[in-house]
Amino acid sequence: MVWKVLIVILVILVILLAVLYYFGNKLQKKQAENQAQMEAMAQTISMLIIDKKRLKIKESGLPAAVIEQTPKYLRRSKLPIVKAKIGPKVMNLIADEKVFELLPVKKEVKVVVSGIYITAVKGARGGIEKPQPKKGFFKKLFKK
C-alpha cells in the first residue's frame, strides 16, 4: 500500500519536472530572441537624467500603448523609471535593474537605449560613481 502511494507521487513528480523543463527551454529561447532584437535596435544617446524612481506602470507616464501591451500580472509591479531630457524632449524611460543603480541624477550621461529601454551606461561627465554595496543586517551587527 505504501509503495503504491510512493510510486504514484514519484510519477507525478517526474511528469511535473518534464513539463517545467519543456516550458523553461521554450522561455529561454524566447528570451534569447528578444535579447538579439534589443541589441539590433540599440543606439547610444546622450541625455540629462532629471529624476529616477521605482513606479507602478500606470503611474510611470509611459505611452498608453506600452501600458496596454504589458501582461496583467506585471501591471502591479514597480519598474525602474528614469525621467530624462533627450535633446529638447523630456521622456520617461524604463531602465535595466543593473543600470538603474549606476545612473546619476541631474547629470549628463551617455547611455545605450533600445526603444524606451535603457540597457547600458557608457559614460558620464565627471565619471560614474558606483554605489556602495549595501551591508546586511549581520555585517552591521558584527561590526558593532
Side-chain angles (χ1 to χ4, degrees):
M1 180 72 175
V2 174
W3 291 105
K4 289 181 181 179
V5 172
L6 289 175
I7 290 174
V8 169
I9 292 173
L10 185 65
V11 168
I12 291 171
L13 285 175
V14 168
I15 291 171
L16 184 67
L17 284 174
V19 168
L20 286 174
Y21 178 77
Y22 171 74
F23 283 116
N25 276 346
K26 197 172 178 182
L27 289 173
Q28 194 172 16
K29 288 177 186 175
K30 193 174 182 181
Q31 185 181 14
E33 287 176 10
N34 288 342
Q35 190 68 28
Q37 248 183 348
M38 286 184 66
E39 288 174 7
M41 290 180 53
Q43 48 185 265
T44 304
I45 298 175
S46 180
M47 63 175 64
L48 174 70
I49 307 296
I50 297 171
D51 191 20
K52 64 179 191 174
K53 293 180 184 175
R54 292 188 189 278
L55 298 170
K56 290 184 180 181
I57 197 159
K58 288 188 177 182
E59 302 167 357
S60 65
L62 293 172
V66 173
I67 295 171
E68 289 171 10
Q69 287 179 353
T70 55
K72 292 195 179 197
Y73 64 90
L74 287 177
R75 290 187 186 175
R76 283 187 231 108
S77 64
K78 291 189 175 185
L79 295 175
I81 303 294
V82 176
K83 189 172 191 177
K85 184 175 182 184
I86 305 170
K89 245 180 163 180
V90 176
M91 296 179 65
N92 288 341
L93 304 167
I94 302 172
D96 190 31
E97 287 292 336
K98 298 170 192 168
V99 175
F100 185 70
E101 302 299 325
L102 296 174
L103 288 171
V105 179
K106 299 193 175 144
K107 286 191 180 178
E108 192 169 328
V109 182
K110 280 194 177 186
V111 296
V112 178
V113 177
S114 180
I116 61 164
Y117 196 72
I118 300 173
T119 57
V121 178
K122 290 280 185 178
R125 288 191 181 173
I128 299 172
E129 298 173 12
K130 294 191 178 181
Q132 297 291 331
K134 293 182 180 178
K135 293 184 180 178
F137 174 74
F138 288 107
K139 285 189 179 180
K140 289 179 186 176
L141 186 67
F142 289 127
K143 189 174 181 181
K144 291 180 182 179

